Amino acid sequence: MAGHSQFKNIMHKKGKQDAVRSKVFSKLAREITVAAKMGLPDPGMNPRLRAAVLAARAENMPKDNIERAIKKASGGEGENYDEVRYEGYAPGGVAVIVEALTDNRNRTAGEVRSYFTKSGGALAETGAVSFMFDRVGLVEYDLKAASEDAMMEAALEAGADDVSTGEDGHEIVTAVETMKDVAKVLEEKFGEPRRAALVWRPQNTIAVDDEAGEKILRLVGSLEDNDDVQKVYANFEVSDALLAKLDA
């Protein structure tokens, strides 16, 4: 998970520095509305909605905003969004998966394609790179929730596939089919998780030089700034020197 964690940390820092709060809330509200429309408008009975609400709380989205998005969906209001996945290659042969919610497929496809082209990469067919990732459930807790041993024991007993603890907290990886049950057991023991969602986990990561690394980070930044893009995943690692440069 080292490459995945490094990439996540880079984008987390970037998000905190650059993201406009209203844009973040808008994306979260869009996911909440879609999740509520696809199932029951009760987070306790709708795992996807539960994950969306957890993500919103993690970004300190006001409770009123969350409830308003759910009510919109249950009342049949709001836009209808299509779920779309794009796959492509960034510089250095790095694989990228982009998940989007859009009310105009042609617009979003054109914009995503232009980001890849400008970065020196290329958009590919669906399925071109996703075989290099595993679709898994991911449950995250802050370090203070439990000791490393306690989290490891509880997660494995609940049926998790993998557990890792680092300075950013506990990460519990599950099969897609068992994430709901594992998350429920852990919540009963340690309280509400920081995150519980289905993600794309790279099977291996590619170490890229600083020149390619900067291009890839610009590409990911452009994608994440797009209103329709919800999540971006990639299988690369950059040097500590580049990280230090970005943090400066």
Side-chain angles (χ1 to χ4, degrees):
M1 289 292 282
H4 163 77
S5 297
Q6 185 195 45
F7 169 67
K8 182 186 69 175
N9 292 343
I10 293 168
M11 301 322 300
H12 179 72
K13 289 175 184 175
K14 181 186 183 304
K16 291 302 181 187
Q17 292 166 357
D18 300 342
V20 178
R21 186 61 56 182
S22 61
K23 177 174 285 193
V24 173
F25 286 172
S26 176
K27 290 189 179 195
L28 291 167
R30 186 178 293 196
E31 170 61 19
I32 290 170
T33 300
V34 169
K37 278 188 175 183
M38 292 180 67
L40 295 171
D42 177 2
M45 302 294 289
N46 182 335
R48 179 167 174 174
L49 178 57
R50 173 94 172 127
V53 170
L54 283 174
R57 287 178 185 163
E59 290 292 343
N60 297 314
M61 185 174 179
K63 186 178 178 181
D64 287 349
N65 292 34
I66 296 173
E67 292 178 347
R68 194 179 308 122
I70 294 174
K71 285 178 182 176
K72 251 188 178 182
S74 57
E77 301 174 34
E79 301 286 346
N80 289 315
Y81 296 104
D82 293 327
E83 291 186 87
V84 189
R85 187 175 84 236
Y86 303 100
E87 301 181 24
Y89 291 96
V94 166
V96 182
I97 295 177
V98 182
E99 293 183 333
L101 291 174
T102 178
D103 57 359
N104 187 324
R105 284 173 174 259
N106 290 334
R107 178 196 68 226
T108 307
E111 291 173 348
V112 169
R113 185 180 300 277
S114 73
Y115 300 144
F116 274 91
T117 301
K118 288 175 182 175
S119 74
L123 195 61
E125 296 294 323
T126 300
V129 306
S130 55
F131 71 92
M132 291 184 266
F133 295 75
D134 293 321
R135 188 65 165 164
V136 299
L138 181 64
V139 182
E140 295 181 355
Y141 275 92
D142 291 330
L143 282 176
K144 63 184 179 182
S147 68
E148 181 176 358
D149 288 343
M151 184 61 72
M152 174 80 74
E153 182 180 356
L156 294 179
E157 283 185 2
D161 293 340
D162 188 27
V163 185
S164 60
T165 297
E167 60 181 21
D168 293 320
H170 307 285
E171 286 191 352
I172 299 93
V173 177
T174 77
V176 171
E177 299 79 14
T178 59
M179 188 193 78
K180 181 182 176 183
D181 293 336
V182 172
K184 183 179 179 181
V185 170
L186 294 179
E187 183 166 347
E188 289 173 353
K189 193 172 185 69
F190 303 119
E192 189 174 272
R194 179 174 70 198
R195 181 187 183 200
L198 297 178
V199 302
W200 291 97
R201 182 192 190 191
Q203 295 166 359
N204 296 289
T205 55
I206 299 172
V208 297
D209 60 34
D210 289 358
E211 182 180 353
E214 287 200 54
K215 289 179 180 178
I216 296 165
L217 290 173
R218 280 200 297 272
L219 166 61
V220 174
S222 296
L223 288 165
E224 292 200 329
D225 283 342
N226 186 282
D227 290 339
D228 297 331
V229 172
Q230 293 293 107
K231 294 284 186 300
V232 182
Y233 304 92
N235 65 345
F236 72 106
E237 292 185 61
V238 297
S239 70
D240 290 338
L242 180 56
L243 287 178
K245 178 182 174 182
L246 293 173
D247 280 340

